[in-house]
Amino acid sequence: MKRVGIVGDGYTAAELLRLLLPMDEYDVTYISSADNIGTAVSALYPQFGDMTQLVCEPTATEAIISRCDGVFLALPHGQSMPLAAALIEAGLYCVDLGADFRLRDAGLYRSYYELEHTAPELLSTAVYGIPELYREQIAVARLIANPGCFPTSAIMPLVPLLAAGLIEHKGIIVDSKSGVSGAGRGMKETSHYCNVNEGVHPYGVGTHRHAPEIRQQLELAAAGSVQMVFTPHLIPMSRGILTTTYSYLADGANEGDARAALAQAYKGEYFVHLLPPGQWPHTRWVYASNHVQISLAQDKDSHILTAVCAIDNLCRGASAQAVQNMNLMLGIPERRGLELIGLYP
Amino acid sequence: MKRVGIVGDGYTAAELLRLLLPMDEYDVTYISSADNIGTAVSALYPQFGDMTQLVCEPTATEAIISRCDGVFLALPHGQSMPLAAALIEAGLYCVDLGADFRLRDAGLYRSYYELEHTAPELLSTAVYGIPELYREQIAVARLIANPGCFPTSAIMPLVPLLAAGLIEHKGIIVDSKSGVSGAGRGMKETSHYCNVNEGVHPYGVGTHRHAPEIRQQLELAAAGSVQMVFTPHLIPMSRGILTTTYSYLADGANEGDARAALAQAYKGEYFVHLLPPGQWPHTRWVYASNHVQISLAQDKDSHILTAVCAIDNLCRGASAQAVQNMNLMLGIPERRGLELIGLYP
Amino acid sequence: MKRVGIVGDGYTAAELLRLLLPMDEYDVTYISSADNIGTAVSALYPQFGDMTQLVCEPTATEAIISRCDGVFLALPHGQSMPLAAALIEAGLYCVDLGADFRLRDAGLYRSYYELEHTAPELLSTAVYGIPELYREQIAVARLIANPGCFPTSAIMPLVPLLAAGLIEHKGIIVDSKSGVSGAGRGMKETSHYCNVNEGVHPYGVGTHRHAPEIRQQLELAAAGSVQMVFTPHLIPMSRGILTTTYSYLADGANEGDARAALAQAYKGEYFVHLLPPGQWPHTRWVYASNHVQISLAQDKDSHILTAVCAIDNLCRGASAQAVQNMNLMLGIPERRGLELIGLYP
Amino acid sequence: MKRVGIVGDGYTAAELLRLLLPMDEYDVTYISSADNIGTAVSALYPQFGDMTQLVCEPTATEAIISRCDGVFLALPHGQSMPLAAALIEAGLYCVDLGADFRLRDAGLYRSYYELEHTAPELLSTAVYGIPELYREQIAVARLIANPGCFPTSAIMPLVPLLAAGLIEHKGIIVDSKSGVSGAGRGMKETSHYCNVNEGVHPYGVGTHRHAPEIRQQLELAAAGSVQMVFTPHLIPMSRGILTTTYSYLADGANEGDARAALAQAYKGEYFVHLLPPGQWPHTRWVYASNHVQISLAQDKDSHILTAVCAIDNLCRGASAQAVQNMNLMLGIPERRGLELIGLYP
């Protein structure tokens, strides 16, 4: 049994606990908080009842090192950088659910997050944690940059297509629809029930921090620059992301080639489901699970390819993927604890 | 006071009644139904209480002609064609909320609706009913093809841009997010609460009947062929459509030009609101109203223009626009009965 | 045309504007705010677009007096007391949508609101504003205590039954289910989308401030003390209250008597709908309107009477009832501006 | 590993599969359907993807007997009676999720379900399956009458109070609020998204079939007749039931006694959570889990006790409780497969 800690007490931390507490492989020995020090997890999140006795502690590097083999960092950007450096140094395994190690370019980080990166030396060793794409690197890593929710949903359908040279590098559109939990537990006007319910609107148009993260992974796959526009929309639901991508099939490529490339890329992958032609992803079918659905079609009058991906933003888009990464690093069977089936109805 | 009738008893019929009953300018003298003949409107739609004594009648051309000056046809496709011909012949004013007169090409109609058009001679006289774009023709028309909900939301931002030559004719993406009421009152698995709630999915990808309708209007504006991909998504709300369009700015054109073209096209229009840079449409702000919100931005790294439009699908996307058209045809002040402000919260 | 002002900028203020702006009888000349001074109403509530040029001002008694004939006070409790006294003194007509003048007993006010009442002399002149029950007093009043949303929904079915001596004064249960907008625009954990969506819970059990307000009106109708338990529940919707009441039919009374008493009490009332036996209120049917639905049934094995009432909490439960009251005070036809039909779907 | 079958393909069947498929203790060898014979479970419920190869078969007694040790009957009322008799006869263990074995009185069954009971001899041997109340009987049973969702939520707080003589047998009010999934997968007007969303209404007032089921269990606990009124309400959510009960404390009893009785009754029960004074159940905290939350308070001015219970209607109110019962009958550790924590957010 591995001892793990969670740094942070927001929605992704709660989702980690939901997944980890019933597992035999892990003993959650530590959780920390900025605002709720001394508060029992069960007081903060009554769904845990008497199923855990954990109490939020201050974030203390020494305590983490002495009590944990692995640690999940579920912190606002900027706060993981110094902590991860110390924990890695002490030999712990880290999965950072925040943004600090996702961008390889410290300059890009500074420009989007308005902060100087304080551990740039770790950027090259951090592995971007989509197991189906980077399993081997993850298995030998010490530090995982757990992907953002939108990036996961955009990268999974697009990376195999770019890697296979089947779509153009220009004119990629990523139109995402997300539930509200992605905005976190904090009180914001845009999370007020009356603002969300019965409405839909775009946000962060042209400025969302997940855009450079998506572009970076697409460019790695394309081995060249990629022109991509990303627009997220907030829709009235708690969980789920559906991402609709539009791209141009390369000369000579068609829908069948694209479908074959995805089938090949995700062959044998337990969590990834390429739906048959004519069937489209629905976030309900992957709700509260680590599963991913993908489908695609070519426009009958053009070379435009529509590829759609559905995930649960808190599970595959954050905490379940984090557990999958931790399992891989710690030598635990990859699927363990993640065999939850999409919740429907 | 003008005598008007409604043929049909679905959601758009109910929405027409909601708008028409409080108006002094109209006397609703007739409503017909296929399935609920003899049923009081108030039994079918208890929100009307004792505010109307209307009872659903069989659809009978003679009754309509003798009791109505104008008529709203709110029927499944295929059923308006013969009826409209007879009513126009008898001198009535018709607004068809269905699809029978929207496509100018009877062949295209046949191909998408799998029916032979029985009144092709009316296709050239029917006016496509977006008042802000076709006001003069509407004012002298006898037959209005009331636009589809998705087309309204796509055409209003794109037509002025195409007409001004500011965007390319190729590579236009129309990604729409709609509430459920657009699918109507009938029982369908996809309208079951448990299927819709907490989920999002695309549908009709590559096959939706609103695609040729959108393309037709874009091509008229562009005076040439247009390559456009349309993908609707069902999201968990009753009302509202948000349409996000992506297009390529023409050589030399920029965001400012696009904004100026829309400002010019909708100058002085009471119902159309071009939001300032950085503010984006939200369907809540036009909820249950005839208002339209539009905004746009150019991607900072490319010529891709994102233009977004929000409407209420049953109001501006159907019944309120129908009343606006009928007002225009019958010489009633255009805004009358439509001064409802977006319902929020 | 009457000049009216609104003091406050929360949801009930926005709802007042939605109702008042399209009316010919009123000119809204003033709106004030605590937190948004200098902000245009349309910036705060984009649904108003360019339909109003009002800008939030500081709350200033002199400004109100010089620019208004009537004023709506939409303030947190405690803030209306001093203001109302000055405005009444200056001859204005006031509708207080807050709680300051609802309880006739200043001691009860102190005990529930933890504040000393500063204008106790007004408590006896303020009229409790349910027009269907107190129309004559309202018509000659200067100060209306606009009822709370829950009280409106409980009083309307129960008062006629108590007044007619048809139900016992003991053992009255009031179980209410409310949408979230009743909690207002402020950021609270319990208004966070993720807390509300897909969940239901009771709140304020035994402590809610609407309990003494309900009890007071029931006791006035009963001309004696009443034992009543009130439990509100928060349910996942923006608008609407459904109140289910349970009471004991008095000896010799039956369901028919109860039905007859309600029919008599609301005979000819445009906004109140007593549904036939077997049909039950649905908040959708009164959504965003001033209408009220009531129905009832006697348990077949006992004398327990179940009476149910549906209203829209922001409309009939606040702003529309406030306009109805203002209409009455200012001699405007009572229904004017309120002929909105329940929004469905 | 025990071989189990599922008869039926509705929501509770899908929920059984969600729970059973990841379990090592069970092998689901059979599923049958009336309408979807030959259809793969994954086609009917895409959330199962390639996680099961089960295909819906016709309901055939012989097949069940030859391939199953235990069987879950998830059928409309009337259909389990003949099947259960044959399966019990053949030595299988049966959990009936339908209503056929819940009422001990065949006459009451006839009166509420309008059917003659065809296996009345089984009524006395069927055990009512709330494990925390009837664990010993369940462990030695062959046939479990799995409780209705509303009854579970009403019985769990009330039975210990009645058994301890702490509340009166008269004047018990059970006011329940349920999500839509309880109405099943079939297409009904009342399950249409637009009918449910943003609305609340009572239904089945005075006629709901769960009323005699609740009353029977209360009367068994009270060892005498009980007067109880049950009113269910449909609220806009997919899952969850909150039941608010009102009863009269017996002479000399108080809130502390009631709380102590519940604490005693559910002492050491993993799934049942008696919340501390002032904290109230929220269906979100038990969402998609087998957990139960209960709290209570006495009205400060009377002997009226308000006791509230939250469950997930498909889990504790149906399929998870069914698995708990099957575990008990088959000697599998009771909690196995049910350690899912309430899903929040």
Side-chain angles (χ1 to χ4, degrees):
Chain A
M1 185 179 265
K2 299 291 187 180
R3 302 166 306 151
V4 288
I6 298 170
V7 182
D9 65 355
Y11 283 161
T12 56
E15 186 75 351
L16 283 166
L17 286 169
R18 179 175 82 92
L19 297 167
L20 296 170
L21 288 178
M23 290 179 73
D24 293 332
E25 292 79 4
Y26 290 112
D27 183 19
V28 184
T29 58
Y30 174 90
I31 185 166
S32 74
S33 167
D35 303 326
N36 298 296
I37 294 168
T39 303
V41 161
S42 290
L44 218 51
Y45 291 107
Q47 69 266 31
F48 292 110
D50 30 26
M51 290 164 264
T52 179
Q53 307 308 321
L54 284 167
V55 173
C56 294
E57 306 181 30
T59 300
T61 313
E62 282 313 305
I64 301 172
I65 291 171
S66 68
R67 285 153 55 191
C68 301
D69 303 309
V71 67
F72 297 94
L73 304 177
L75 289 167
H77 67 267
Q79 299 185 16
S80 294
M81 294 185 292
L83 193 55
L87 298 174
I88 297 294
E89 170 89 16
L92 274 70
Y93 294 84
C94 287
V95 177
D96 180 25
L97 286 85
D100 284 1
F101 299 101
R102 293 178 189 160
L103 298 180
R104 298 188 163 196
D105 175 349
L108 201 58
Y109 181 85
R110 186 191 314 115
S111 132
Y112 270 87
Y113 291 93
E114 295 168 5
L115 271 182
E116 199 62 37
H117 206 288
T118 64
E121 72 286 0
L122 289 177
L123 292 179
S124 57
T125 65
V127 177
Y128 194 73
I130 297 187
E132 288 80 0
L133 297 177
Y134 304 109
R135 182 172 287 120
E136 291 179 22
Q137 299 95 307
I138 293 166
V140 298
R142 283 277 165 173
L143 173 59
I144 301 297
N146 209 58
C149 50
F150 289 122
T152 299
S153 69
I155 290 164
M156 292 193 77
L158 290 173
V159 155
L161 300 176
L162 283 165
L166 293 170
I167 57 173
E168 300 284 351
H169 298 190
K170 295 214 156 193
I172 298 178
I173 303 292
V174 175
D175 186 292
S176 293
K177 298 88 180 163
S178 174
V180 186
S181 59
R185 190 166 163 259
M187 298 297 120
K188 298 169 194 170
E189 188 179 346
T190 49
S191 297
H192 192 296
Y193 187 83
C194 294
N195 202 284
V196 174
N197 184 40
E198 278 291 290
V200 49
H201 62 94
Y203 67 101
V205 181
T207 62
H208 199 285
R209 287 160 169 167
H210 283 177
E213 182 181 340
I214 297 171
R215 193 176 296 113
Q216 168 183 281
Q217 295 298 316
L218 300 189
E219 293 189 336
L220 286 169
S225 73
V226 161
Q227 181 201 65
M228 189 273 310
V229 169
F230 168 58
T231 310
H233 300 78
L234 190 67
I235 66 174
M237 56 189 204
S238 291
R239 283 173 177 256
I241 287 181
L242 188 93
T243 289
T244 309
T245 70
Y246 303 91
S247 57
Y248 290 89
L249 284 160
D251 268 0
N254 63 27
E255 174 178 332
D257 301 326
R259 187 166 283 278
L262 286 168
Q264 179 60 31
Y266 298 119
K267 188 177 175 183
E269 291 293 349
Y270 180 76
F271 294 117
V272 186
H273 308 270
L274 179 62
L275 304 182
Q279 195 181 359
W280 292 93
H282 189 328
T283 59
R284 281 303 328 204
W285 297 335
V286 296
Y287 199 87
S289 86
N290 195 43
H291 292 281
V292 180
Q293 288 189 334
I294 301 175
S295 196
L296 54 79
Q298 178 179 0
D299 177 46
K300 62 187 171 198
D301 300 324
S302 71
H303 285 89
I304 297 177
L305 183 77
T306 303
V308 179
C309 179
I311 63 168
D312 181 286
N313 61 310
L314 287 180
C315 249
R316 168 56 75 153
S319 302
Q321 190 156 257
V323 171
Q324 192 180 357
N325 284 318
M326 188 66 90
N327 284 349
L328 277 168
M329 283 199 294
L330 297 186
I332 294 169
E334 184 177 341
R335 301 184 203 174
R336 201 59 58 83
L338 302 172
E339 291 180 337
L340 301 167
I341 292 165
L343 184 73
Y344 173 83
Chain B
M1 186 179 263
K2 299 292 186 179
R3 302 166 308 152
V4 288
I6 298 170
V7 181
D9 65 354
Y11 284 161
T12 55
E15 186 76 349
L16 283 167
L17 285 170
R18 179 175 82 91
L19 297 168
L20 295 170
L21 288 179
M23 291 179 72
D24 294 331
E25 292 79 4
Y26 290 113
D27 183 20
V28 184
T29 58
Y30 175 89
I31 185 165
S32 75
S33 166
D35 302 326
N36 299 295
I37 294 168
T39 303
V41 161
S42 290
L44 218 52
Y45 293 107
Q47 69 267 31
F48 293 110
D50 30 25
M51 290 164 265
T52 178
Q53 306 308 320
L54 284 167
V55 173
C56 295
E57 306 181 32
T59 301
T61 313
E62 282 313 304
I64 301 172
I65 291 171
S66 69
R67 285 153 55 190
C68 303
D69 303 309
V71 67
F72 297 94
L73 304 177
L75 289 167
H77 67 267
Q79 299 184 16
S80 294
M81 295 186 289
L83 194 55
L87 298 174
I88 297 295
E89 170 90 16
L92 274 70
Y93 294 85
C94 287
V95 177
D96 180 25
L97 286 84
D100 284 1
F101 300 100
R102 293 177 189 160
L103 299 179
R104 296 187 166 198
D105 176 348
L108 201 59
Y109 181 86
R110 186 192 314 116
S111 131
Y112 270 87
Y113 291 92
E114 295 168 6
L115 270 182
E116 198 63 37
H117 206 289
T118 64
E121 72 285 0
L122 289 177
L123 293 178
S124 58
T125 65
V127 177
Y128 194 73
I130 297 188
E132 288 80 1
L133 297 177
Y134 304 108
R135 184 171 286 122
E136 290 180 23
Q137 299 94 308
I138 293 166
V140 297
R142 283 275 164 177
L143 173 59
I144 301 296
N146 210 58
C149 51
F150 289 121
T152 299
S153 69
I155 290 164
M156 292 192 77
L158 290 174
V159 155
L161 300 176
L162 283 164
L166 293 171
I167 57 173
E168 301 283 352
H169 298 188
K170 294 212 159 195
I172 299 177
I173 304 293
V174 175
D175 187 293
S176 293
K177 297 89 180 161
S178 174
V180 185
S181 59
R185 190 166 163 258
M187 298 299 117
K188 298 170 195 169
E189 188 179 345
T190 49
S191 298
H192 192 297
Y193 188 83
C194 294
N195 201 283
V196 175
N197 184 40
E198 277 291 291
V200 48
H201 63 93
Y203 67 101
V205 182
T207 63
H208 199 286
R209 287 161 169 166
H210 284 176
E213 183 182 339
I214 296 171
R215 192 176 295 112
Q216 168 183 283
Q217 295 298 316
L218 300 189
E219 294 190 336
L220 286 169
S225 72
V226 161
Q227 181 200 65
M228 188 274 309
V229 169
F230 167 58
T231 310
H233 300 77
L234 191 66
I235 65 174
M237 57 189 203
S238 293
R239 282 174 177 252
I241 286 179
L242 188 93
T243 290
T244 309
T245 71
Y246 303 91
S247 57
Y248 290 89
L249 284 161
D251 269 2
N254 63 27
E255 176 178 332
D257 300 326
R259 189 167 281 278
L262 285 168
Q264 179 60 31
Y266 298 119
K267 188 177 173 184
E269 290 294 350
Y270 180 76
F271 293 118
V272 186
H273 308 270
L274 179 62
L275 304 182
Q279 194 181 359
W280 292 93
H282 189 328
T283 59
R284 280 303 328 204
W285 298 335
V286 296
Y287 199 86
S289 84
N290 195 42
H291 292 280
V292 180
Q293 288 189 333
I294 300 175
S295 196
L296 54 78
Q298 178 179 358
D299 177 45
K300 61 186 172 199
D301 300 324
S302 71
H303 285 88
I304 297 177
L305 182 77
T306 303
V308 179
C309 179
I311 63 168
D312 181 286
N313 61 311
L314 287 180
C315 249
R316 166 57 76 154
S319 302
Q321 190 155 257
V323 171
Q324 192 179 357
N325 284 318
M326 188 66 89
N327 283 349
L328 277 168
M329 284 200 292
L330 297 185
I332 294 169
E334 185 177 340
R335 299 185 202 172
R336 202 58 62 80
L338 303 172
E339 292 180 336
L340 301 166
I341 292 165
L343 185 73
Y344 174 83
Chain C
M1 186 179 262
K2 299 292 187 179
R3 302 166 307 153
V4 288
I6 299 169
V7 182
D9 65 354
Y11 283 161
T12 55
E15 186 75 349
L16 283 167
L17 285 170
R18 179 175 81 92
L19 297 167
L20 295 169
L21 288 178
M23 291 179 72
D24 293 331
E25 293 78 6
Y26 291 113
D27 182 20
V28 184
T29 58
Y30 175 91
I31 185 164
S32 74
S33 167
D35 303 326
N36 298 296
I37 294 169
T39 303
V41 161
S42 290
L44 217 52
Y45 292 108
Q47 69 267 30
F48 293 110
D50 30 26
M51 290 164 265
T52 179
Q53 306 309 320
L54 284 166
V55 173
C56 294
E57 306 181 29
T59 301
T61 314
E62 282 313 305
I64 301 172
I65 292 171
S66 68
R67 285 153 55 188
C68 302
D69 303 309
V71 67
F72 297 94
L73 305 176
L75 290 166
H77 69 267
Q79 300 185 17
S80 295
M81 295 185 290
L83 193 55
L87 297 173
I88 297 294
E89 171 89 14
L92 273 70
Y93 293 85
C94 287
V95 176
D96 180 25
L97 285 84
D100 284 0
F101 299 101
R102 293 177 188 160
L103 299 179
R104 296 187 167 199
D105 175 347
L108 201 58
Y109 181 86
R110 187 192 313 117
S111 130
Y112 270 86
Y113 291 92
E114 295 168 6
L115 270 182
E116 198 64 36
H117 207 289
T118 64
E121 72 286 359
L122 288 178
L123 292 179
S124 57
T125 65
V127 177
Y128 194 73
I130 297 187
E132 288 81 0
L133 297 176
Y134 305 108
R135 182 172 287 119
E136 289 178 23
Q137 298 95 307
I138 292 165
V140 297
R142 283 277 165 175
L143 173 59
I144 300 297
N146 210 58
C149 50
F150 288 122
T152 299
S153 70
I155 289 164
M156 293 193 77
L158 290 173
V159 154
L161 300 176
L162 283 164
L166 293 171
I167 58 172
E168 300 284 352
H169 298 188
K170 295 212 158 195
I172 299 177
I173 303 292
V174 174
D175 186 293
S176 293
K177 297 89 179 161
S178 175
V180 185
S181 59
R185 190 166 163 259
M187 298 299 118
K188 298 170 194 170
E189 187 179 347
T190 48
S191 298
H192 192 297
Y193 188 83
C194 293
N195 202 284
V196 175
N197 184 39
E198 277 291 292
V200 49
H201 63 94
Y203 66 101
V205 182
T207 62
H208 199 285
R209 288 160 169 167
H210 284 176
E213 182 182 340
I214 296 170
R215 192 176 295 111
Q216 169 184 282
Q217 295 298 316
L218 299 189
E219 293 189 336
L220 287 169
S225 72
V226 161
Q227 182 200 66
M228 188 274 309
V229 169
F230 167 59
T231 310
H233 301 77
L234 191 67
I235 65 175
M237 56 189 203
S238 292
R239 283 174 176 253
I241 286 180
L242 189 93
T243 289
T244 309
T245 70
Y246 303 91
S247 58
Y248 290 89
L249 283 161
D251 268 1
N254 63 26
E255 175 179 332
D257 302 327
R259 190 166 281 278
L262 286 168
Q264 179 60 31
Y266 298 119
K267 187 177 173 183
E269 292 293 351
Y270 180 76
F271 294 117
V272 186
H273 308 269
L274 180 61
L275 304 182
Q279 195 182 358
W280 292 93
H282 189 328
T283 58
R284 281 302 329 204
W285 297 336
V286 297
Y287 199 85
S289 86
N290 195 42
H291 292 279
V292 180
Q293 288 190 333
I294 300 174
S295 196
L296 53 77
Q298 177 179 0
D299 177 46
K300 61 187 173 198
D301 300 324
S302 73
H303 285 88
I304 297 177
L305 182 77
T306 303
V308 179
C309 179
I311 63 168
D312 180 287
N313 61 310
L314 287 180
C315 247
R316 168 56 79 153
S319 302
Q321 190 156 256
V323 171
Q324 192 179 357
N325 284 317
M326 188 66 90
N327 283 349
L328 277 168
M329 284 200 293
L330 297 185
I332 293 169
E334 184 176 340
R335 301 184 200 172
R336 201 58 60 82
L338 303 172
E339 292 180 335
L340 301 167
I341 292 165
L343 184 73
Y344 174 84
Chain D
M1 186 180 265
K2 300 291 187 179
R3 302 166 309 153
V4 288
I6 299 170
V7 182
D9 66 354
Y11 285 160
T12 55
E15 186 75 349
L16 283 166
L17 285 170
R18 179 175 82 91
L19 298 167
L20 296 169
L21 288 179
M23 290 179 73
D24 293 331
E25 293 79 5
Y26 290 113
D27 182 19
V28 184
T29 58
Y30 174 89
I31 184 165
S32 74
S33 167
D35 302 326
N36 299 296
I37 295 168
T39 303
V41 161
S42 289
L44 218 51
Y45 293 107
Q47 68 267 31
F48 292 111
D50 30 25
M51 289 164 265
T52 179
Q53 306 308 320
L54 284 167
V55 173
C56 295
E57 306 182 29
T59 301
T61 314
E62 282 314 304
I64 301 172
I65 291 170
S66 68
R67 285 152 56 188
C68 301
D69 303 309
V71 66
F72 298 93
L73 305 177
L75 289 166
H77 67 267
Q79 300 184 17
S80 295
M81 295 186 291
L83 193 55
L87 298 174
I88 298 295
E89 170 89 15
L92 273 70
Y93 294 84
C94 287
V95 176
D96 180 24
L97 285 85
D100 284 2
F101 299 101
R102 293 178 189 161
L103 299 179
R104 297 186 166 198
D105 176 349
L108 202 57
Y109 181 85
R110 186 193 315 114
S111 132
Y112 270 86
Y113 291 92
E114 296 168 5
L115 271 182
E116 199 63 38
H117 206 289
T118 64
E121 72 285 0
L122 289 177
L123 292 179
S124 58
T125 65
V127 177
Y128 194 74
I130 297 187
E132 289 80 0
L133 297 176
Y134 304 109
R135 183 172 285 119
E136 291 179 23
Q137 299 95 307
I138 293 165
V140 298
R142 282 278 165 174
L143 174 58
I144 300 297
N146 209 59
C149 50
F150 289 122
T152 299
S153 69
I155 289 164
M156 293 194 77
L158 290 174
V159 154
L161 300 176
L162 282 164
L166 293 171
I167 57 172
E168 301 284 350
H169 299 187
K170 294 213 159 195
I172 299 177
I173 303 293
V174 175
D175 186 292
S176 293
K177 297 89 179 161
S178 175
V180 186
S181 59
R185 191 167 162 258
M187 298 299 119
K188 298 169 195 169
E189 188 180 346
T190 49
S191 298
H192 192 296
Y193 188 82
C194 294
N195 202 284
V196 174
N197 183 40
E198 277 291 290
V200 48
H201 63 94
Y203 66 101
V205 182
T207 63
H208 199 285
R209 287 158 168 167
H210 284 176
E213 182 181 340
I214 296 170
R215 192 177 295 112
Q216 168 183 282
Q217 295 298 316
L218 300 189
E219 293 190 336
L220 286 168
S225 72
V226 161
Q227 181 201 66
M228 188 274 309
V229 169
F230 167 58
T231 310
H233 300 78
L234 190 67
I235 66 175
M237 56 189 204
S238 291
R239 282 173 177 255
I241 286 180
L242 188 93
T243 289
T244 309
T245 71
Y246 303 90
S247 58
Y248 291 90
L249 284 161
D251 269 1
N254 63 26
E255 175 178 331
D257 301 326
R259 187 166 283 279
L262 285 169
Q264 179 60 31
Y266 297 119
K267 187 177 174 182
E269 291 294 352
Y270 180 76
F271 294 117
V272 186
H273 308 270
L274 180 62
L275 304 182
Q279 195 181 359
W280 292 93
H282 189 329
T283 58
R284 280 302 330 205
W285 297 335
V286 296
Y287 199 86
S289 85
N290 195 42
H291 292 279
V292 180
Q293 289 190 332
I294 300 175
S295 195
L296 54 78
Q298 177 178 359
D299 177 46
K300 61 187 172 198
D301 301 324
S302 72
H303 285 89
I304 297 177
L305 183 77
T306 303
V308 179
C309 179
I311 63 168
D312 181 286
N313 61 309
L314 286 181
C315 248
R316 167 56 77 154
S319 301
Q321 189 155 257
V323 171
Q324 192 179 358
N325 284 317
M326 188 65 89
N327 284 349
L328 277 168
M329 284 200 294
L330 296 185
I332 294 169
E334 184 177 340
R335 300 185 202 173
R336 202 58 61 82
L338 303 172
E339 291 179 337
L340 301 167
I341 292 165
L343 184 72
Y344 174 84

